[in-house]
Amino acid sequence: MLIATPAKNCLACNKSVKGRTDKKFCDDYCRNAYNNRLKAEGNNLVRNINNALRKNRRILEEILTTNEKMTKVSRENLLQRGFQFKYFTHTYSNAKGNQYHFCYEYGYLALENNWCLVVKRREI
Ligand SMILES: [Zn+2]
């Protein structure tokens, strides 16, 4: 009895792969091409997130002028400056249970009515 094995395609070039059923690539060339592409995508992802975090930090830094330890800003204002709320380096909860989101040493606490309290910490 002949068991039909499903046709498998190379993950790199999408041509059908002949040989062992667990084979994923035509050859080493395709394997390397595929792995390099994955690595490049990973690098891009890391770079984009790093850029977003740095931008968030810069925005908070701009809002917090040198002499102030904290200041209020509207969420809308942050968004207009290009702040991306989904990216932060860590969170901090104070004794009252208020959770701050930080981008490096700058952070914010979400307040009522879409206001944010921007703060800077010396030690992280
Ligand atoms: Zn291939």
Side-chain angles (χ1 to χ4, degrees):
M1 185 178 156
L2 197 70
I3 297 168
T5 51
K8 292 195 64 176
N9 293 330
C10 170
L11 290 176
C13 71
N14 214 29
K15 287 177 189 158
S16 67
V17 177
K18 294 177 185 75
R20 299 198 323 266
T21 52
D22 60 342
K23 243 183 123 181
K24 294 176 185 163
F25 304 98
C26 311
D27 51 25
D28 287 343
Y29 176 84
C30 277
R31 181 194 310 281
N32 287 334
Y34 180 81
N35 287 333
N36 287 339
R37 200 159 68 209
L38 271 194
K39 200 172 156 190
E41 282 167 7
N43 288 343
N44 282 339
L45 184 72
V46 169
R47 194 182 308 123
N48 291 342
I49 292 174
N50 283 343
N51 285 342
L53 284 171
R54 273 198 294 269
K55 185 172 183 185
N56 279 358
R57 181 191 174 276
R58 198 168 61 240
I59 290 165
L60 295 176
E61 187 181 25
E62 281 167 8
I63 287 165
L64 213 60
T65 53
T66 46
N67 293 324
E68 286 180 298
K69 270 190 183 161
M70 55 177 69
T71 192
K72 276 199 208 172
V73 64
S74 70
R75 195 178 170 90
E76 187 60 36
N77 185 321
L78 285 171
L79 288 172
Q80 278 169 6
R81 291 168 188 256
F83 195 88
Q84 294 188 70
F85 283 89
K86 66 178 171 179
Y87 293 125
F88 52 88
T89 56
H90 60 292
T91 59
Y92 166 79
S93 294
N94 66 11
K96 290 183 205 161
N98 297 324
Q99 194 182 48
Y100 292 76
H101 287 75
F102 277 87
C103 296
Y104 305 98
E105 78 273 43
Y106 291 93
Y108 70 90
L109 172 67
L111 303 173
E112 287 181 340
N113 301 319
N114 287 324
W115 283 91
C116 294
L117 182 68
V118 179
V119 299
K120 184 185 181 185
R121 276 171 77 88
R122 288 259 170 75
E123 75 287 350
I124 293 173

